[in-house]
Amino acid sequence: MDDADRQVLRRCRVRLVSELQVAPLWDVLLSRELFTPGMIEDIQAGSGSRPDQARQLVIDLETRGRQALPLFISCLEDTGQTSLASLLRTSSQAAKRDPKAIRPLDPIPVVLGPVDLKREELRIAKQYPSKPIPGKLTSEVLGPEDIGPGGLSDVRAQRELRGNADVAYVLNADPCGYCLIINNVTFSLGLSTRLGSNVDCEKLTHRFRLLHFSVEVKCNLTSKQMVQALVELARRDHGALDCCVVVILSHGCEASHRQFPGAIYGTDGCPVPVERIVNIFNGTSCPSLGGKPKLFFIQACGGEQKDPGFEVASPSFEDRAPGSNPEPDAAPFQDNPGNCDQPDAISSLPTPSDIFVSYSTFPGFVSWRDPNSGSWYIETLDRVFEQWAYSDDLQSLLLRVANAVSEKGIYKQIPGCFNFLRKKLFFKT
């Protein structure tokens, strides 16, 4: 879809979400081959209400090729939604006459600074940054003398943060929440068996139970079964719980995306986009998890590139165990060039809060797994959680994981994350 049509959709999105009747559209969208049956099933399964389905349909429409907008307008006319069809057609014609008419609104920068400080107070604040001003909020920075690495002051400081609901999520419930582990080992359509994945699964089942989660394991799910399992989890009542964890162990690939990169394969060889998985748990689809942390740990390749690394002064001595032969969790990039112009990596909606997605590898690169000891990422994650979860917050834990994994192997790997948490997260130990 070209940029002018995309901007037309975005300018009209509020009215489309408000008025669009999606039920009569499904058959027409299929007959025009604008959407596939799987895409429609995903929209219906992940978005319960009509406005949510309308919103997701409009978002997905942006990826359906250059003729998506005129085809969608004709679908609206075929289903009697002539006012919306007229709105889109008029806006599209106006855009062709004057492209500036539909350009994105330029954001206005906002400068944040001291509020209601008098001239003398501003002088004091500049001259003595650490000196508190009576009646004003101040920040405090702890230096090395306050927090020693691994020392008593470090533990004490972390404990104080853990108990402060203003800066850390409260995980008092027992169990803290549900932890769903999807472990895909055997596949069809040429994808290799993921030897060592059961080792990963057993480690994480044990680890998250120790962290006071109610753990459920589902093995060898097709793409549709994966979505169904995730939707079923999102629709539970999480009101008495404080957190939710989803772990997916599978093959993966690159995928067109707007928010979260990558896709995860079901055992049928069909990919499920990571952003689709994450959005099942947004505030609308899963209101009982609103304001609570939702954590996703993805052990899968982000693509097919193998990273040989670069030479540094202190090379790693932890290349690989004797006799081991690491395998990648990679599969080819999946996209339909006939129906999609290009990936759109810019989210057009506010990013959901309280979401944390941890990837085993950098987007586009393979993720290594040992057939005997399991994947580098999960093996390291389990070890770090065992040693440091009592004191470190989630981000600090995963920095330790990233550092340790980066030192492994002849080919290299670096885990990363998308963090939209509002507070620190300390596991209950």
Side-chain angles (χ1 to χ4, degrees), residues 233-248:
L233 176 61
R235 288 178 177 174
R236 294 184 192 178
D237 183 6
H238 301 261
L241 305 174
D242 295 326
C243 185
C244 185
V245 173
V246 172
V247 180
I248 302 182

Side-chain angles (χ1 to χ4, degrees), residues 157-270:
Q158 296 285 36
R159 187 180 298 120
E160 291 174 358
L161 288 175
R162 184 190 295 262
N164 187 343
D166 291 332
V167 296
Y169 291 101
V170 176
L171 269 61
N172 286 336
D174 198 358
C176 291
Y178 296 113
C179 171
L180 173 63
I181 301 177
I182 296 177
N183 180 30
N184 289 342
V185 179
T186 57
F187 296 79
S188 60
L189 300 179
L191 294 174
S192 62
T193 299
R194 299 183 61 255
L195 300 176
S197 188
N198 288 333
V199 177
D200 289 344
C201 185
E202 291 172 5
K203 287 178 180 177
L204 291 188
T205 298
H206 176 68
R207 183 59 49 207
F208 278 105
R209 281 176 178 162
L210 290 179
L211 295 175
H212 298 270
F213 283 86
S214 176
V215 180
E216 302 175 33
V217 177
K218 295 183 181 291
C219 296
N220 295 324
L221 302 185
T222 65
S223 57
K224 186 173 183 179
Q225 289 170 336
M226 287 172 61
V227 172
Q228 288 173 342
L230 294 164
V231 169
E232 187 274 329
L233 176 61
R235 288 178 177 174
R236 294 184 192 178
D237 183 6
H238 301 261
L241 305 174
D242 295 326
C243 185
C244 185
V245 173
V246 172
V247 180
I248 302 182
L249 314 171
S250 189
H251 283 300
C253 65
E254 294 182 78
S256 299
H257 67 281
R258 290 181 296 276
Q259 297 169 331
F260 301 95
I264 311 299
Y265 279 103
T267 56
D268 55 350
C270 295

Side-chain angles (χ1 to χ4, degrees), residues 103-120:
R103 68 183 177 187
L105 296 175
D106 294 328
I108 301 175
V110 177
V111 179
L112 301 178
V115 180
D116 295 332
L117 292 184
K118 299 177 182 178
R119 185 183 301 275
E120 179 63 16

Side-chain angles (χ1 to χ4, degrees), residues 358-360 376-377 380-381 383-384 394-408 412-417:
S358 175
Y359 289 86
S360 62
W376 294 357
Y377 168 68
T380 308
L381 186 77
R383 186 176 72 247
V384 167
L394 179 60
Q395 277 189 279
S396 299
L397 291 170
L398 289 173
L399 283 175
R400 294 181 186 271
V401 172
N403 183 56
V405 171
S406 70
E407 295 176 349
K408 289 178 174 287
K412 311 307 290 185
Q413 178 180 332
I414 180 73
C417 65

Side-chain angles (χ1 to χ4, degrees), residues 350-388:
T351 307
S353 64
D354 309 297
I355 292 286
F356 191 97
V357 183
S358 175
Y359 289 86
S360 62
T361 190
F362 193 80
F365 286 85
V366 300
S367 181
W368 294 101
R369 170 177 36 81
D370 188 285
N372 299 313
S373 59
S375 64
W376 294 357
Y377 168 68
I378 297 299
E379 180 186 23
T380 308
L381 186 77
D382 177 60
R383 186 176 72 247
V384 167
F385 279 20
E386 178 183 21
Q387 294 177 353
W388 298 102

Side-chain angles (χ1 to χ4, degrees), residues 137-153:
L137 294 177
T138 60
S139 60
E140 182 176 0
V141 178
L142 302 179
E145 68 278 7
D146 301 301
I147 301 180
L152 180 61
S153 59

